[in-house]
Amino acid sequence: MGRFEGYGVLVTGAGRGIGEAVARRLAGEGAWVLVTDLDGERAEKAAAGIRERGGAAEALACDVADRTAVEEAVAHAVRQFGTLDVLVNNAHSCHPDTPLFEDGADDTWARDLDITLTGAYRCARAALPHLAAAPDRRGAIVSIGSVNGEQDFGNHAYSAAKAGLAGLTRTLAGHAAPRGVRVNLVAPGTVHTDGWAGREAGLEAAAGHYPLGRVGLPEDIAAAVAFLASRDAAWITGVTLPVDGGILISQSGLRGALLGE
């Protein structure tokens, strides 16, 4: 029996990349998964792929910037699955920085924060009463943060949103714990997703800076999410778990300069 047999799960931004890998992993361990994405066709394609592998998945278009859409997605999951036990906040927005910080636009800053941080807040707010009602204190929220929320890797608005998401994880964990719901965050390093199409040379160059010698795969992140969402992590809440190939503990360029390498 899989770790998520009988669980109802909602994953945002799950039409591709990390979100799709998370949905596939949890469905593979027995969960009923609602695959949500801003692009409904992409969500349906991801859900169909899960069903082809023998998993249970439905798809629904959902804009996490829209409170009504979020509440409808949560209600849909509860209606279809009879329960909502796990929420995975993966939807995000990331605009490139302008060359000069002062040239940044208010609308792109607001969009990145609204989708990445406030979107997760909307989803958690809608889902929490149902997660608290889950049997055996198995309700869990796992959000996808980033090493950008821990250290400077560029992208001002995105990094600020991810840092805020880590803060929300801690405060919400304290609030939700007496209600039987755990709240944690996974902070990936560079992950090879479709978003890197056409920039593979950058990925190859980045790999050399990672102590483990490669960039991540969506499946690496999905494995960590599955752990934190499962009863294997029943005594873990409020943490940020870096899944980053060691990049946060390595300053290889500076180390090389100091050691004359």
Side-chain angles (χ1 to χ4, degrees):
M1 179 179 290
R3 289 185 293 181
F4 298 102
E5 291 288 340
Y7 279 54
V9 174
L10 191 159
V11 186
T12 68
R16 62 182 179 182
I18 290 172
E20 182 181 8
V22 168
R24 189 167 58 243
R25 175 65 183 256
L26 298 184
E29 294 198 42
W32 295 313
V33 179
L34 181 60
V35 176
T36 71
D37 198 277
L38 183 61
D39 185 329
E41 291 185 3
R42 195 159 60 198
E44 177 52 45
K45 182 178 179 181
I50 290 171
R51 292 192 296 268
E52 289 170 3
R53 293 176 172 86
E58 294 194 10
L60 188 70
C62 180
D63 181 0
V64 299
D66 182 338
R67 178 174 183 172
T68 299
V70 166
E71 291 175 348
E72 288 177 351
V74 169
H76 182 88
V78 173
R79 185 167 57 247
Q80 295 301 112
F81 306 147
T83 181
L84 181 61
D85 305 279
V86 175
L87 166 68
V88 180
N89 289 311
N90 174 69
H92 69 278
S93 174
C94 181
H95 288 86
D97 290 336
T98 53
L100 291 176
F101 181 79
E102 58 266 34
D103 291 336
D106 284 0
D107 58 347
T108 54
W109 174 273
R111 179 68 176 172
D112 283 2
L113 265 68
D114 190 40
I115 299 299
T116 309
L117 176 56
T118 310
Y121 160 73
R122 293 186 187 101
C123 292
R125 178 177 58 191
L128 188 55
H130 303 285
L131 300 173
D136 303 321
R137 298 176 66 90
R138 69 190 192 190
I141 298 173
V142 183
S143 296
I144 307 301
S146 174
V147 293
N148 284 57
E150 308 294 321
Q151 194 168 300
D152 172 29
F153 293 101
N155 295 112
H156 303 296
Y158 172 81
S159 298
K162 292 297 191 180
L165 191 53
L168 177 62
T169 294
R170 291 187 290 271
T171 58
L172 184 54
H175 171 83
R179 302 171 70 177
V181 179
R182 297 177 302 102
V183 186
N184 292 294
L185 181 140
V186 173
T190 306
V191 177
H192 190 173
T193 65
D194 293 344
W196 284 92
R199 297 184 292 156
E200 287 78 9
L203 280 178
E204 185 176 346
H209 293 277
Y210 279 83
L212 291 181
R214 66 173 178 88
V215 298
L217 299 173
E219 292 75 16
D220 294 319
I221 313 308
V225 171
F227 165 66
L228 288 174
S230 76
R231 297 295 296 168
D232 289 340
W235 212 44
I236 299 174
T237 196
V239 306
T240 291
L241 173 63
V243 183
D244 65 349
I247 196 66
L248 288 179
I249 53 90
S250 173
Q251 292 290 341
S252 58
L254 176 59
R255 183 185 63 197
L258 293 173
L259 297 178
E261 295 177 352

